[in-house]
């Protein structure tokens, strides 16, 4: 994977979009995550939701943007929108790469696109922003799991690793922006927590569904051993998702705030690693 990065400040906050133009080596294996079908398809299923999902997040926050009076929050919103726009672009490139590998990512993308249109039509702006907060909490938990536990990505092709590290860093950086907009403009504890409960069911259900959609459209056999080992990887030992229980439950506390967990040190460590991998020394000073 090649990447170019333009260091240019776009707002007055610490949340700065990084322009990464990833190129994916065609010689890379279809199963680039430890040569493992389950792990690769799980992350690919998530990636298929990112472009349309992150555009939805931007629209949900933008609805309230002009009403925000706090100048610091206004600048952080600009950073959030910029980062999310780049995430959508880079994951579209990744999804196209996987489509060329015989993985039907376009099918999932179109399904998500239609789903987001339905949500935009049927949910109130308050609910849409609350759903954004919920999904941002999921992405922040997963991002910081990756940043705190480099062994989570053990075996991943090193040409693919920068995409996931970069995305994790930026999700952690802007994890509180949508939440702060919600607190400033809506503030309802009931809407926030009830939407998280609904979104949890949707997130789990649709992730499984999208995994199945991808596998059904592929030309090789399902590796049941990989599925079994993968479920153990998530819920048994080491049980990565099981470890997120405390962070997930914390969202339901009235006093919850994303920044109560300070992840600056692990972000800086990941940026140093990215700088070395991509030969981009300016990354070490970004963020």
């Amino acid at each position: 994977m090649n990447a170019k990065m333009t260091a240019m400040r776009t707002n007055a906050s610490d949340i700065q979009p990084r322009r990464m133009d990833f190129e994916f080596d065609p010689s890379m294996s279809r199963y680039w995550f430890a040569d493992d079908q389950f792990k690769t398809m799980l992350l690919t299923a998530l990636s298929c939701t990112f472009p349309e999902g992150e555009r939805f997040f931007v629209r949900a926050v933008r609805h309230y943007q002009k009403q925000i009076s706090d100048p610091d929050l206004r600048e952080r919103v600009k950073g959030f929108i910029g980062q999310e726009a780049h995430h959508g672009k880079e994951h579209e490139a990744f999804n196209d790469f996987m489509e060329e590998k015989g993985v039907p990512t376009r099918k999932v993308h179109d399904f998500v696109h239609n789903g987001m249109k339905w949500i935009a039509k049927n949910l109130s702006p308050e609910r849409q922003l609350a759903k954004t907060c919920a999904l941002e909490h999921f992405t922040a938990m997963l991002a910081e799991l990756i940043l705190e536990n480099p062994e989570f990505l053990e075996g991943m092709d090193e040409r693919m690793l920068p995409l996931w590290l970069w995305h994790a860093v930026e999700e952690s950086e802007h994890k509180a922006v949508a939440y702060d907009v919600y607190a400033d403009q809506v503030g309802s504890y009931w809407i926030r927590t009830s939407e998280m409960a609904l979104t949890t069911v949707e997130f789990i259900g649709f992730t499984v569904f999208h995994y199945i959609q991808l596998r059904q459209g592929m030309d090789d056999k399902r590796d049941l051993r990989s599925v079994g080992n993968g479920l153990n990887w998530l819920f048994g030992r080491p049980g990565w998702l099981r470890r997120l229980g405390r962070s997930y439950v914390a969202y339901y506390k009235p006093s919850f705030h994303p920044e109560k967990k300070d992840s600056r040190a692990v972000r800086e460590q990941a940026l140093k690693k990215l700088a070395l991998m991509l030969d981009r020394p300016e990354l070490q000073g970004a963020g």
Side-chain angles (χ1 to χ4, degrees), residues 6 8 73 136 148 152 156 162 171 184 190 195 255 258 270 285:
T6 303
M8 182 177 66
L73 182 54
E136 282 289 293
E148 293 164 7
F152 178 85
M156 181 179 287
E171 287 297 332
D184 184 65
W190 162 248
E195 197 60 44
S255 61

Side-chain angles (χ1 to χ4, degrees), residues 6-237:
T6 303
M8 182 177 66
R9 295 188 68 83
T10 62
N11 63 82
S13 79
D14 291 334
I15 301 171
Q16 296 296 320
R18 298 169 179 84
R19 294 180 180 272
M20 312 289 286
D21 295 318
F22 290 116
E23 298 174 2
F24 302 96
D25 188 342
S27 69
M28 207 181 311
S29 168
R30 173 192 279 182
Y31 298 125
W32 41 262
F33 193 169
D35 199 30
D36 186 274
Q37 187 181 96
F38 178 86
K39 290 180 180 179
T40 304
M41 288 301 102
L42 179 65
L43 291 193
T44 302
L46 289 173
S47 179
C48 289
T49 70
F50 288 157
E52 290 299 321
E54 290 175 342
R55 287 170 191 139
F56 168 79
F57 299 165
V58 168
R59 291 192 297 269
V61 169
R62 226 176 220 153
H63 178 83
Y64 294 97
Q65 189 174 8
K66 292 182 180 180
Q67 301 172 38
I68 299 169
S69 58
D70 178 9
D72 177 65
L73 182 54
R74 290 174 69 92
E75 293 302 306
R76 290 167 57 225
V77 164
K78 292 177 187 177
F80 169 85
I81 290 172
Q83 286 189 344
E84 293 290 51
H86 288 302
H87 296 177
K89 171 182 174 292
E90 298 301 337
H91 278 277
E92 279 189 331
F94 166 78
N95 295 341
D96 289 345
F97 166 77
M98 292 301 286
E99 184 83 30
E100 292 174 2
K101 291 287 184 182
V103 182
T105 57
R106 175 56 57 178
K107 178 180 179 180
V108 178
H109 174 277
D110 292 345
F111 183 94
V112 174
H113 174 73
N114 291 331
M116 292 303 171
K117 284 174 63 176
W118 186 93
I119 290 172
K121 183 178 179 180
N122 290 279
L123 264 61
S124 68
E126 294 84 1
R127 284 276 169 187
Q128 291 184 48
L129 185 56
K131 186 174 289 294
T132 296
C133 292
L135 288 167
E136 282 289 293
H137 186 55
F138 274 114
T139 55
M141 286 194 299
L142 292 170
E144 289 172 359
L145 175 70
I146 290 171
L147 298 177
E148 293 164 7
N149 303 276
E151 64 270 27
F152 178 85
L153 298 180
E154 185 177 353
M156 181 179 287
D157 191 308
E158 290 220 345
R159 293 168 291 181
M160 189 62 72
L161 190 58
L163 171 70
W164 297 96
L165 280 181
W166 159 76
H167 195 167
V169 166
E170 294 199 345
E171 287 297 332
S172 177
E173 281 180 335
H174 70 231
K175 64 182 177 180
V177 175
Y179 189 93
D180 286 342
V181 173
Y182 181 88
D184 184 65
Q185 296 293 318
V186 184
S188 167
Y189 174 77
W190 162 248
I191 292 177
R192 175 171 73 83
T193 54
S194 62
E195 197 60 44
M196 171 56 97
L198 291 169
T199 300
T200 300
V201 176
E202 293 170 353
F203 182 82
I204 295 170
F206 280 116
T207 300
V208 173
F209 177 62
H210 296 327
Y211 178 94
I212 293 170
Q213 281 183 304
L214 294 178
R215 284 299 310 144
Q216 285 181 335
M218 293 172 66
D219 59 5
D220 56 353
K221 292 182 179 180
R222 180 170 289 113
D223 186 342
L224 294 178
R225 177 176 292 181
S226 171
V227 173
N229 290 338
L231 292 175
N232 183 62
W233 179 67
L234 293 175
F235 301 106
R237 292 185 178 181

Side-chain angles (χ1 to χ4, degrees), residues 229-265:
N229 290 338
L231 292 175
N232 183 62
W233 179 67
L234 293 175
F235 301 106
R237 292 185 178 181
W240 293 114
L241 289 189
R242 181 169 47 79
R243 297 184 184 190
L244 297 179
R246 183 176 296 179
S247 297
Y248 170 77
V249 171
Y251 190 87
Y252 292 92
K253 295 179 179 179
S255 61
F256 171 79
H257 190 274
E259 291 292 357
K260 285 189 174 182
K261 180 178 181 182
D262 186 348
S263 297
R264 284 175 294 182

